[in-house]
């Protein structure tokens, strides 16, 4: 079984920064490969929306809402993806979810796994 666990959320004032982390792990002890990892967010009453993604080769993609303020990165040796968020705005308030497209072992297909989310609240 694969788990993605997010951390780093919290309450911050507008203009502040937060760094989110998300680590992927498997009950078997190892993950064969991870392709794309990403961050999404869901504000109250809205659909889940893309924030940023990063490939295993570190090619990144950002939603317009975070360009210039958010930076996604990953540590492949730790199966971990990060999201550095600067100049936060009240409209960034949401539950942030990470995901990973991965293969648990050499015989498995690529599946997308999701974390349970971490709350980010930006006060004005």
């Amino acid at each position: 079984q694969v788990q993605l666990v997010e951390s780093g959320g919290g309450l911050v004032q507008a203009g502040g920064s937060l760094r989110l982390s998300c680590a992927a792990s498997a009950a078997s002890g190892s993950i064969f490969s991870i392709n794309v990892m990403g961050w999404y967010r869901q504000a109250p009453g809205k659909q889940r929306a893309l924030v940023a993604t990063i490939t295993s080769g570190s090619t990144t993609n950002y939603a317009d809402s975070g360009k210039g303020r958010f930076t996604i990165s990953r540590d492949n040796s730790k199966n971990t993806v990060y999201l550095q968020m600067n100049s936060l705005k009240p409209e960034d308030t949401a539950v942030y979810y990470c995901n990973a497209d991965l293969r648990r072992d050499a015989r498995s297909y690529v599946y997308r796994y999701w974390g349970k989310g971490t709350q980010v609240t930006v006060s004005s």
Side-chain angles (χ1 to χ4, degrees):
Q1 185 163 348
V2 174
Q3 279 191 317
L4 272 65
V5 179
E6 301 101 335
S7 61
L11 173 64
V12 64
Q13 289 188 332
S17 298
L18 283 174
R19 188 188 191 217
L20 306 183
S21 299
C22 173
S25 63
S28 64
S30 65
I31 294 172
F32 182 73
S33 66
I34 302 178
N35 298 343
V36 180
M37 303 185 82
W39 289 96
Y40 287 70
R41 68 187 184 185
Q42 188 167 18
K46 295 188 177 181
Q47 291 188 331
R48 192 174 297 188
L50 170 73
V51 176
T53 61
I54 184 168
T55 67
S56 57
S58 296
T59 298
T60 59
N61 177 56
Y62 295 92
D64 289 342
S65 59
K67 285 182 179 177
R69 300 188 299 126
F70 296 174
T71 302
I72 189 171
S73 60
R74 64 190 280 177
D75 184 335
N76 292 329
S77 67
K78 297 180 179 179
N79 292 337
T80 299
V81 62
Y82 305 97
L83 184 68
Q84 177 68 43
M85 303 186 293
N86 300 327
S87 302
L88 283 162
K89 306 174 182 180
E91 51 263 45
D92 294 319
T93 295
V95 178
Y96 283 71
Y97 298 90
C98 73
N99 68 14
D101 296 341
L102 61 86
R103 296 173 67 187
R104 289 183 297 168
D105 54 59
R107 295 172 296 177
S108 67
Y109 293 102
V110 176
Y111 286 104
R112 174 164 292 182
Y113 294 86
W114 289 87
K116 293 183 178 180
T118 185
Q119 176 70 46
V120 171
T121 303
V122 184
S123 64
S124 58

